[in-house]
Amino acid sequence: MRVYFSTRDVEGRSHLASIDIALDGSRFEILSAPSGPLLSPGPRGSFDADGVTVTSLIRRKDKILAYYLGWTVGKSVPFTNTIGLAIADQDAPAFSRRFNIPVVGRSEANPLTLGYPWVTEIDDGYRMWFGSHLSWGEGWMDMIHVVKSAISRDGEVWESESGIVIPLAGAAEPQEFAVSRPVVLRGGGGWSMWYARRFAQYKLGYAWSSDGRNWIRRDHLVSFTRSPEEWESDARTYPCVFEHRGRIYMLYNGNGYGREGFGIALLNE
């Protein structure tokens, strides 16, 4: 199977790369050297000129659609990001932009910055979950960041939905200031969502829904059975959960936003 991930260049801009691996239960093998860049930042002044971070891919006929966070580095705030779409043939190694503008950008529903999309096909089209700022604070990285959603008939033209899908924990854990990078799977009589939680350090979170629209946070259900290794000693976060041959796996970033690598975990059922 092919795993897509982001790398950073010397200027700190993210590019898309891939690596092929084999998975069989708890055993995995790296089959290839990393390949890329498969998608790079756009030209100066574009919405994704400062980086592209692909977080969701879906197959549509003979095409692969890649939804990504387009980075725009700011002056008064660290970044003002939006969501883009790239496309590739199934047998082609690289992606090209479907549009030169975001498919989900700033709006009345999402006026500040948004990103890390996850897209799932539903009965009448597609649903996207993504992170969105409610506000910036006085400090450089002070923020309130939650998960919101959008819907589409064709996967290209999107309408943002009102309301918050996953709010902050609030009084239960007042030091949490962001929930981000949602990933959603359907099965077992409902929907499951995993996401990153931001405190002074990163954590993982989980929520469950019976209909894919109304969610209950159950963060206590996320745990690992082994102690962290050095590369993940400070963080296990930014999850990507997927099904493969009847088993559920999670790719996740280690320390420093994945600076020291990413790992894979197998769900114990």
Side-chain angles (χ1 to χ4, degrees):
M1 67 176 298
R2 181 158 296 164
V3 174
Y4 293 91
F5 62 98
S6 293
T7 63
R8 296 287 184 101
D9 61 22
V10 294
E11 298 177 358
R13 304 181 308 162
S14 55
H15 302 246
L16 180 64
S18 70
I19 191 169
D20 291 340
I21 65 172
L23 279 178
D24 183 11
S26 61
R27 295 176 295 175
F28 85 97
E29 179 184 358
I30 296 174
L31 301 178
S32 71
S35 176
L38 308 179
L39 181 68
S40 290
R44 183 184 181 194
S46 62
F47 77 96
D48 55 1
D50 295 320
V52 292
T53 303
V54 173
T55 53
S56 183
L57 298 105
I58 61 173
R59 294 186 183 273
R60 191 173 67 184
K61 297 181 179 179
D62 61 342
K63 305 292 184 181
I64 301 176
L65 304 184
Y67 296 90
Y68 66 93
L69 182 160
W71 289 90
T72 300
V73 174
K75 182 177 180 180
S76 64
V77 295
F79 47 78
T80 301
N81 301 329
T82 50
I83 295 169
L85 172 62
I87 192 167
D89 294 329
Q90 288 195 20
D91 56 353
F95 289 81
S96 60
R97 286 164 180 77
R98 180 68 180 88
F99 307 103
N100 291 319
I101 60 173
V103 292
V104 183
R106 295 205 288 178
S107 64
E108 188 66 27
N110 301 287
L112 299 176
T113 183
L114 57 162
Y116 297 116
W118 183 266
V119 176
T120 295
E121 190 169 0
I122 56 177
D123 293 339
D124 55 352
Y126 302 86
R127 173 161 279 116
M128 177 191 294
W129 295 269
F130 55 89
S132 178
H133 265 42
L134 299 184
S135 66
W136 284 105
E138 293 298 322
W140 185 243
M141 286 298 290
D142 290 347
M143 66 183 78
I144 297 177
H145 188 88
V146 299
V147 174
K148 291 191 173 183
S149 62
I151 54 174
S152 174
R153 292 284 187 180
D154 61 5
E156 298 186 359
V157 178
W158 291 87
E159 178 182 353
S160 293
E161 297 183 298
S162 62
I164 297 171
V165 177
I166 304 292
L168 296 184
E173 293 184 88
Q175 295 174 335
E176 180 186 75
F177 60 87
V179 285
S180 182
R181 208 280 180 244
V183 51
V184 176
L185 291 184
R186 188 175 186 177
W191 302 67
S192 290
M193 180 188 295
W194 293 261
Y195 42 85
R197 307 175 64 198
R198 292 200 67 176
F199 298 79
Q201 293 180 324
Y202 286 97
K203 298 181 180 180
L204 290 169
Y206 172 82
W208 183 88
S209 172
S210 61
D211 58 8
R213 298 179 62 87
N214 301 289
W215 296 84
I216 302 171
R217 290 187 62 163
R218 295 177 176 174
D219 298 322
H220 65 282
L221 296 180
V222 183
S223 64
F224 286 79
T225 58
R226 64 168 177 81
S227 299
E229 297 179 3
E230 184 175 353
W231 66 272
E232 55 181 345
S233 58
D234 293 330
R236 286 165 163 168
T237 189
Y238 284 86
C240 180
V241 181
F242 61 96
E243 186 273 336
H244 178 68
R245 295 181 177 176
R247 305 296 299 273
I248 303 297
Y249 296 86
M250 175 190 288
L251 294 164
Y252 63 94
N253 281 8
N255 301 340
Y257 195 68
R259 180 185 297 273
E260 299 182 31
F262 63 87
I264 188 167
L266 174 65
L267 178 66
N268 292 326
E269 299 179 287

